[in-house]
Amino acid sequence: MVRLRPLLRQSKTMRCLLTQLSVFSPPNLPIFNHYHQNIKPPFLPPPPPPPPLGLLSSNSSVSGRGYCSSSITGVKAMASAKIMSDPESISYLNQREAAEIDEILMGPLGFSVDQLMELAGLSVATSMAEVYKPAEHSRVLAICGPGNNGGDGLVAARHLHHFGYKPFICYPKRTAKALYNGLVTQLESLSVPFLSVEDLPADFSTSFDIVVDAIFGFSFHGSPRPPFDDLIKKLVALGNSNQRNQKSPVIVSIDIPSGWHVEEGDVRGEGIKPDMLVSLTAPKLCAKKFSGPHHFLGGRFVPPSIEEKFKLELPAYPGTSMCVRIGKPPRVDISALRENYISPEFSEEQADADPFVQFQKWFDDAMASGMKEPNAMALSTTGKDGKPSSRMVLLKGLDGGGFVWYTNYESRKAHQISENPQAALLFYWDALNRQVRVEGSVHKVSEEESEQYFHSRPRGSQIGAIVSKQTAVIPGRQVLHQRQEELEAQYSDGSPIPKPKYWGGYRLKPELFEFWQGQPSRLHDRLRYTPEEINGKRVWKIERLSP
């Protein structure tokens, strides 16, 4: 067993990482405290392995593993929402402040240039991916200057390649430093083309969908020199054609639109007019003059000490995202929203004869994709009045008898099921361009099965099931909190929490499956399974439906 302190003493990199961690939350970081107190860290047992991906039993619990599952709560969430909707309430940096923050980050806070550049480039790439999908904006030209801004562009291009884009690089004045040479080598290893200024087409609109302006950052002074002066003029012309709604690549500027004054913006009104600006660390003063549709903040590395020193008001990053939008997104024509699905074909030969097996295959794919709550399903019911209603519930079991979920037996859906025990389920897995419809009859699961599942849930969820008289009208949220506190006190000794009689599970027995796979030009694959009897044996008939 290796003691942590000697190991850390040997590593300058590790000491820098500890310094970075300490400025974010020094009292709450066990590793940092152990390092300073020379205490051998506790070795925690490994987490339990994930459940097998076989058919789920009715008692199986499926957790969503979303890439953005964390949420912002409380006062900070409200403040962040205000900042995102109102760009005037955000903090903007002048040139001196921006330079001072960089000095602090790369000085006492232990960040290196390559660390910050990697985070900045990743932030740019994720911001672009939020708005411009590779299916329609795949060809990206990154024009990179000789400084750190150019390095951000090189890193962004590498990430864009891995995101499914086709980047091209124009890097006319290469910096002869190991960091930049390494970035070039990384891109060359991915076969990303480098274009000289002479190789660039006269008309960008026929060759590229996006042009990334990574030429000059906030530390640039003076007038642009060749060849960047002509390149900036080309981007100005592109921005003007976009303003006239002509077919033209969109422009994404990193931190500062090249040619702008860092604090005063496009002073002469003849500068680049980017469609997207990705501010890094915090927006610079010139960003107040940005009038394009998409403004994002990236560079998720600002610790509380810097926020306090410079009195920064910045939006919180949602979940695990590397970027956050500033200001409201532009209003769009809903009728113009469309997605051209690109997916492998789903043929009758590929489909399993058993729809339960086919569903499990697709469910396993959804789990493996990492999407949030792949077990979420829309449940549609109707009562005797014939009026349908739908809501999202979570699949909690799948066996030969059907699909299982749990709910309050006094809810609206439960009353409708009691009047009309027929229902429909819909799973939608957008990351895979797939959906599955299931229709059939519904009945309650056994009391024993409900009891077993109830006690497998976290105690907070057990108490929540008692607190919530689902669908009942209540005077305010305080009623829920008060009842929750009473129950937590009542069962604080760890005694078992009894399952309420009005809570339990339902099982839908399928009488129809439909598997949908999105395809280009709306020519989707739709395979329907319906039961039929052949020689006294129940089998499933597979039919292709017109999309």
Side-chain angles (χ1 to χ4, degrees), residues 219-275:
S219 60
F220 178 77
H221 295 276
S223 300
R225 297 179 180 178
F228 298 112
D229 52 354
D230 286 338
L231 289 170
I232 290 174
K233 288 177 182 177
K234 277 199 169 189
L235 295 186
V236 170
L238 281 181
N240 290 337
S241 63
N242 280 345
Q243 296 290 317
R244 295 192 298 269
N245 296 320
Q246 295 179 2
K247 169 69 175 172
S248 183
V250 295
I251 302 173
V252 177
S253 286
I254 299 179
D255 208 26
I256 306 290
S258 295
W260 283 30
H261 189 282
V262 178
E263 296 171 2
E264 298 175 17
D266 183 14
V267 180
R268 298 180 180 179
E270 300 174 352
I272 297 172
K273 295 179 175 59
D275 303 88

Side-chain angles (χ1 to χ4, degrees), residues 4-5 8 14-15 17-19 21-42:
L4 186 61
R5 184 183 175 99
L8 292 175
M14 189 66 75
R15 290 198 299 273
L17 292 175
L18 285 174
T19 300
L21 289 170
S22 70
V23 299
F24 282 95
S25 182
N28 301 317
L29 289 170
I31 275 187
F32 187 82
N33 291 336
H34 284 300
Y35 169 59
H36 281 282
Q37 298 167 11
N38 195 22
I39 298 175
K40 184 163 60 179

